[in-house]
Amino acid sequence: MSRSCKAALLASAFGAMLAWTAPVLADGPSSVGRPASPAELKAWDIDVGPDFSGLPKGSGTVSRGMEIWEEKCASCHGTFGESNSVFNPLVGGTTAEDIKTGHVAALKRTDFPARTTFMKVASVSTLYDYIRRAMPWNAPKSLSDDDVYAVLAYLLNLAEIVPDDFTLTDATIRDVQQRMPNRNGMTTAHALWPGLDFPGMAAKPDTANAVCMTNCKPKAELASQLPEHARGAHGNIAEQNRVIGPVRGQRTGPDTAAAEAPSPALALAEKSGCLSCHAVDTRIVGPSYSEIAARYRGKNNAEALVSKVKAGGEGSWGAVPMPPQDDLSIDDAKTLVAWILSGAPQK
Amino acid sequence: MSKLRPTGEATPRTDPLVPGADALSGRLRRAPENFLTPDEIGQVGKGRRDFLRASFLAAAGATAAATLGGRNAAAATADAAGDPDILNPTPWGSSLGQPVAANPYGLPSKHERGLVRRQSPGLTQVAAASVSFAPLQGLFGIITPSGLHFERHHQGWQDIDPTRHRLMINGSRPEFVKTPRVYTMDDIMRLPPVSRMHFIECGANTGMEWGNVAVPTVQYTHGMLSCSEFTGVPLRTLLEYCGADLKAAKFILAEGGDGSSMTRTIPIELVLSGEVMVAYGQNGEMLRPENGYPLRLVVPGVQGVSWVKWLRRIEVGDRPYAAKDEAVHYIDLMPDGQHRQYTSIQECKSVITSPSGGQTLLDKGFFTISGLAWSGRGAIKRVDVSVDGGINWTQATLQTPVLSKCLTRFTLPWNWDGRPALLQSRAMDETGFVQPAYGQLRAVRGTRSIYHNNAIQTWQVAESGDVNNVQIL
C-alpha cells in the first residue's frame, strides 16, 4: 500500500472517529424528541391503505352523499362531477363492461378527450383517504368520517358503480373494490421505482440509446415545430430574457414593462389569496368581482362587506361559504373592498 | 480539430465606418449592449445585422449632440472617438449610491426583473393547484436561487409557524415503531446535520411536449427543475433514533401538514442508503414557504412530488399506500391502456439552456453553448452536443462539481457561421444509460404518458438568429 493511500485511510478513520466523538447530548441523540400520545397518533395517523388498513368504521348512503355533494362539492366539480372549470372531471368515460373487466377501454383510444378520475383510479381506498384529508379543497378535513362515506357513495353512484339505494360502509367498500372500472389497470413492470418490492419490477430501463459520435443518421428531419399561434401564448419573450449577454428574447407580444404597472390592489388581492376563489369576470368558487360590483352599485355598504370579508360567511351568493380572513388587516380589507366595488381594475 | 471548435475572432480589428474603431474591441460593435431597441432586435431577427454598426454610430452621435452645448464639450468631441459610456461620466460613477441595508433582504437588480417564475397559461384551471416554472434560460452554474425555485402546489402554499410545526414518526403496525415519537423544530435542528446538493424535477416536467412541440422556451419545456443545497437530518438516522424496525419495513409514507396533507410512498431502500433526508435548510437559509418551510422531505433522484413539503409525519410500513398522487396522478399511461404506477426515478436527461427557444443570437461568430444535465440514478458521466440535429456529436466540457443526483453544467464553444443549425444535447450517467431520442421514447411509451419525458431536446437556429423549439425523432 502506498504511503499516500495509508495516510488517506488514517485520515478517514480519524474523520469517522471525530464524527462519533463529536459532542452529543448526555443521553445521545435518540433522547431528542418525545413519545407521541395515543390521542396525537389518532389525530394524525389518518392514512387508509389499498388493503383498507387504517379505514375508520362508519357508513353513508348515496342520498345523504348527494346532499353533501350539492352543498360542499358541486360548486367546483359540477353537479355530476363533470366540471372542467376548477379541476379535471371526476366522473365519466367508464362503462358497465369496464366494471366487468377492470380495464377502462377508453384509455386505449388516442382520440378520447378526457381522462377522468374514475377512468384512472384502481383503488377505492385512494378516494376515501384523499377526500377525508383534502376535500373540500377550501375547507380540508372538515368532513366527518360518515360524511366521507356518504359523499364517496354518491360519487360511486354518479360513476354507475353502485345503485341509488347503496350504503357505503367499512364492510361494503371491499365489494366496491371488485367493481372499480380500472382496478386491473395498473402495472409496476417498469424500471422507474428505486426499490425492490413490486411485482414485475424491471431491472433495465425501457430505452437504450447509444453514444454514437459521427454520421449517426443520414439526415435530421423535423417531426414537430412550434405552431405559429403558440409563439405569443406565453407573453412577450423579449421580457423573459436578459438585456445583456449573447442573446436577446424574441419579441412575441407588447411590452408590458412600458405599459402601466398593475394596480397595487390587484397585487394585494393576489397576495391575500382572494384570486384563487374570485376572478374579475368569471365565477370560480366565489362570485366574480364584476358581479359583486354590479350588485352593490350605489348601495353604500362597503363597511358591511369589509366585515364579511374579514369574518367570512355564506348565503349572499349561495351555500358555499367564504372562509374568514384572519390574517388580513382591516385597512387591507377596506382597500380590497373599495377596489372590488370600483370594478376591480387591473391597472 | 472538431468543426465545433471556435476558429478564433473573425471580426477585423479595423473598420473604416467607425472612426477610431481600431482602438476599440471588435466585440463592442457586435454587441451594442442595452441600446438595442425592440425594433432593432426585430431587425436582427430579420437578418439585418449591419444596422448594429449604424445604431452604434447614431447613439454616439446623439450623445454628442446632447452634450455639445454643455460644460463637457471636451467629452463631446471625444464621443465620436468611442463609446459614450466610457468617454462620458455615467450616472452611477458620478453620484452617491444607496446606504447599507436599504434592502434588509437583498433583491436582484431591477434590470433582472424579467427572469422570474412564470405560469404557463391554460395549463391548469386555478393558480393554487398549479405550477410556476423556473427561468432556466437565464441561470448560471447549477444552483437555483431560492426565489426562482419552481413551484408546484396542490392546495396553495402556506407559511407555517415554525414554533407550532411538528414531525411525528410512527408505524403502520405498532411493531414497526414501538414508541412513536414527536419532534419539534427545536428537536430536529439539534440533531447532527448534513448538507447536500441535489436536483429536484417534477415528474411532469416536459410533459406538455410528449406529443408535439407546444411551448416556446426552455422555461416552459424544462423549468419544473431546480437544484439546491439542502441541510437536514438523514431520515435513516431519525428512524434509528426512534428504534424503527428497519428490517421489517419495506416502504415509508411521507405526509404534509398543509391542506392537501399530500402523501407519497418511498421505498425503504432509498431511506437505508442514507440519501433521503428531512430538510429545513435550502441554500444556506431556511426553506422558502413555497418549498415547504419549515420542513420537507428530500428524496434525491426521485420526482418532486415525493419530496413532501411542510412534512408532518413519517409512517414506517410494509406495503405501498396508493395515495392520490400515486394512484390517480403521477401514473404514466402506456399505449396498451395500462398505467405504470409508482414511477419515481427521474432518468438521465439534459437540455441546452443557452442559446435556447425564444432567443435570438445577436450575431454570427463565437458563442458558448451551455446547458444542464442530470440523472436520478447517479452522477453525469458525459454530455455530447450536436449542432446538426444529431448526425454528428462533440463531447462537451462538464463544469465541476459533478455530483450524484445533482445538476451538472456543461459547455461547448461554438462558432456560428450564420447558417441554420439544430442544437441538441445528449447526456449519459454513471450507469451507462444514455438519454433517449424522441423516437426511442415514443416507441415504448407512446405520446400520452404525461410524466417522465426525458427525450433529447432540439433547438433550431434559423439564419435570422432566431432560436425555436422543434422536435427530431
Side-chain angles (χ1 to χ4, degrees), chain A residues 25 29-36 40-41 43-51 53 84-88 103 106-110 115 117 120-123 125-127 129-130 133-137 140-141 182 184-198 205-227 230-231 233-234 237 239-251 255 257 276 284, chain B residues 33-34 38 41 112 114-115 118 120-121 125-126 128-129 137-138 140 154-155 166 168 170 179-183 187 190-191 212-217 220 241 250-251 253 255 258-261 263 265 267 269-270 312-313 315 319-322 324 327-329 331 333 336-345 347 358-362 367 377 382 384 388-393 426 428 433-436 440-441 444-445 448 452 460 466-473:
Chain A
L25 306 162
S30 46
S31 67
V32 175
R34 61 165 177 83
E40 287 171 338
L41 263 181
W44 274 12
D45 183 3
I46 59 168
D47 58 275
V48 177
D51 57 359
S53 56
N84 205 8
S85 67
V86 173
F87 193 63
N88 310 339
H103 289 280
L107 289 172
K108 286 192 199 154
R109 285 173 45 188
T110 48
R115 266 179 258 169
T117 309
K120 294 184 286 178
V121 67
S123 36
S125 63
T126 303
L127 297 176
D129 173 274
Y130 179 66
R133 70 176 60 244
M135 287 294 134
W137 199 48
K141 305 178 192 69
N182 203 37
N184 299 321
M186 299 288 161
T187 170
T188 49
H190 58 75
L192 293 190
W193 176 253
L196 305 166
D197 304 290
F198 282 125
D206 59 358
T207 61
N209 200 1
V211 173
C212 164
M213 298 307 285
T214 48
N215 291 321
C216 301
K217 55 186 172 189
K219 60 178 189 224
E221 253 177 276
L222 297 193
S224 172
Q225 307 189 50
L226 190 69
R231 264 175 57 87
H234 285 73
I237 293 167
E239 293 179 325
Q240 302 176 20
N241 279 274
R242 286 213 165 79
V243 294
I244 48 169
V247 296
R248 296 290 184 277
Q250 295 165 20
R251 194 152 187 269
D255 291 335
S276 53
I284 309 179
Chain B
E33 314 302 338
N34 303 353
I41 292 178
E112 297 291 312
L115 293 157
R118 292 175 192 272
S120 181
Q125 297 93 326
V126 284
Q137 70 276 20
F140 313 115
H154 288 262
Q155 212 139 334
R166 306 286 182 265
M168 182 184 286
N170 69 300
T179 316
R181 285 185 89 75
V182 170
Y183 294 87
D187 296 331
R190 270 167 98 156
L191 296 171
N212 49 266
V213 173
V215 291
T217 77
Y220 308 105
Y241 293 161
K250 288 206 169 81
F251 302 92
L253 180 78
E255 179 179 86
D258 62 321
S260 78
S261 293
T263 43
T265 306
E269 288 84 355
L270 267 194
R312 80 166 188 190
R313 194 170 68 94
E315 179 174 294
R319 49 128 186 93
Y321 288 82
K324 187 265 274 178
V328 188
H329 306 279
I331 51 176
L333 182 58
D336 65 358
Q338 292 290 100
H339 280 96
R340 288 182 174 176
Q341 195 176 16
Y342 300 108
T343 48
S344 300
I345 294 175
E347 291 188 306
Q359 298 180 330
T360 299
L361 306 182
L362 285 180
F367 282 91
R377 293 205 179 89
R382 67 182 284 164
D384 301 306
D388 61 10
I391 300 171
N392 298 292
W393 298 80
R426 177 185 69 194
M428 181 174 107
F433 175 91
V434 180
Q435 182 183 7
Q440 294 169 318
L441 200 58
V444 278
R445 301 194 202 162
R448 299 181 298 147
H452 302 109
Q460 177 186 49
D466 279 0
V467 187
N468 291 311
N469 186 6
V470 297
Q471 287 181 356
I472 291 178
L473 297 182

Side-chain angles (χ1 to χ4, degrees), chain B residues 24-100:
Chain B
L24 304 170
S25 81
R27 173 169 294 277
L28 184 67
R29 280 199 312 284
R30 271 197 275 146
E33 314 302 338
N34 303 353
F35 56 81
L36 268 199
T37 64
D39 272 357
E40 287 165 335
I41 292 178
Q43 294 188 49
V44 177
K46 292 196 191 83
R48 269 202 67 208
R49 288 199 180 66
D50 53 333
F51 90 93
L52 290 181
R53 196 179 289 131
S55 77
F56 170 72
L57 279 174
T63 321
T67 48
L68 254 182
R71 63 190 159 83
N72 214 346
T77 14
D79 278 351
D83 184 341
D85 279 331
I86 295 176
L87 299 172
N88 298 330
T90 53
W92 41 89
S94 53
S95 61
L96 177 61
Q98 304 276 322
V100 297

Side-chain angles (χ1 to χ4, degrees), chain A residues 34-337:
Chain A
R34 61 165 177 83
S37 76
E40 287 171 338
L41 263 181
K42 188 162 177 286
W44 274 12
D45 183 3
I46 59 168
D47 58 275
V48 177
D51 57 359
F52 301 108
S53 56
L55 185 71
K57 289 216 169 335
S59 69
T61 61
V62 169
S63 58
R64 168 76 187 120
M66 185 168 92
E67 289 166 20
I68 301 167
W69 181 262
E70 284 178 356
E71 188 187 334
K72 300 187 168 164
C73 320
S75 59
C76 288
H77 292 296
T79 310
F80 305 104
E82 82 300 344
S83 171
N84 205 8
S85 67
V86 173
F87 193 63
N88 310 339
L90 305 185
V91 177
T94 59
T95 64
E97 184 60 22
D98 298 342
I99 293 178
K100 275 190 215 141
T101 62
H103 289 280
V104 170
L107 289 172
K108 286 192 199 154
R109 285 173 45 188
T110 48
D111 62 337
F112 203 77
R115 266 179 258 169
T116 67
T117 309
F118 274 100
M119 286 172 68
K120 294 184 286 178
V121 67
S123 36
V124 66
S125 63
T126 303
L127 297 176
Y128 189 94
D129 173 274
Y130 179 66
I131 295 170
R132 183 160 67 144
R133 70 176 60 244
M135 287 294 134
W137 199 48
N138 50 344
K141 305 178 192 69
S142 60
L143 299 182
S144 70
D145 292 347
D146 282 345
D147 283 356
V148 177
Y149 277 108
V151 81
L152 178 54
Y154 183 63
L155 273 175
L156 291 163
N157 178 253
L158 284 176
E160 295 173 355
I161 297 167
V162 304
D164 296 352
D165 60 357
F166 191 74
T167 303
L168 185 68
T169 70
D170 48 296
T172 60
I173 197 169
R174 289 156 211 269
D175 309 330
V176 170
Q177 178 56 42
Q178 299 315 312
R179 293 177 55 78
M180 290 296 280
N182 203 37
R183 65 187 175 278
N184 299 321
M186 299 288 161
T187 170
T188 49
H190 58 75
L192 293 190
W193 176 253
L196 305 166
D197 304 290
F198 282 125
M201 222 77 266
K204 273 210 181 123
D206 59 358
T207 61
N209 200 1
V211 173
C212 164
M213 298 307 285
T214 48
N215 291 321
C216 301
K217 55 186 172 189
K219 60 178 189 224
E221 253 177 276
L222 297 193
S224 172
Q225 307 189 50
L226 190 69
E228 195 49 38
H229 66 83
R231 264 175 57 87
H234 285 73
N236 182 8
I237 293 167
E239 293 179 325
Q240 302 176 20
N241 279 274
R242 286 213 165 79
V243 294
I244 48 169
V247 296
R248 296 290 184 277
Q250 295 165 20
R251 194 152 187 269
T252 52
D255 291 335
T256 54
E260 271 177 275
S263 123
L266 176 66
L268 180 62
E270 170 95 65
K271 194 181 113 219
S272 311
C274 317
L275 303 186
S276 53
C277 294
H278 294 287
V280 177
D281 293 319
T282 50
R283 261 187 198 212
I284 309 179
V285 181
S288 74
Y289 285 146
S290 37
E291 285 178 281
I292 300 176
R295 179 184 289 190
Y296 299 119
R297 190 158 294 136
K299 290 220 174 90
N300 200 9
N301 64 337
E303 224 164 279
L305 287 177
V306 168
S307 320
K308 166 93 171 240
V309 168
K310 278 289 297 162
E314 62 198 60
S316 304
W317 297 88
V320 183
M322 172 160 68
Q325 307 287 326
D326 294 333
D327 295 338
L328 190 72
S329 73
I330 288 285
D331 282 347
D332 284 351
K334 281 186 185 156
T335 308
L336 286 170
V337 166

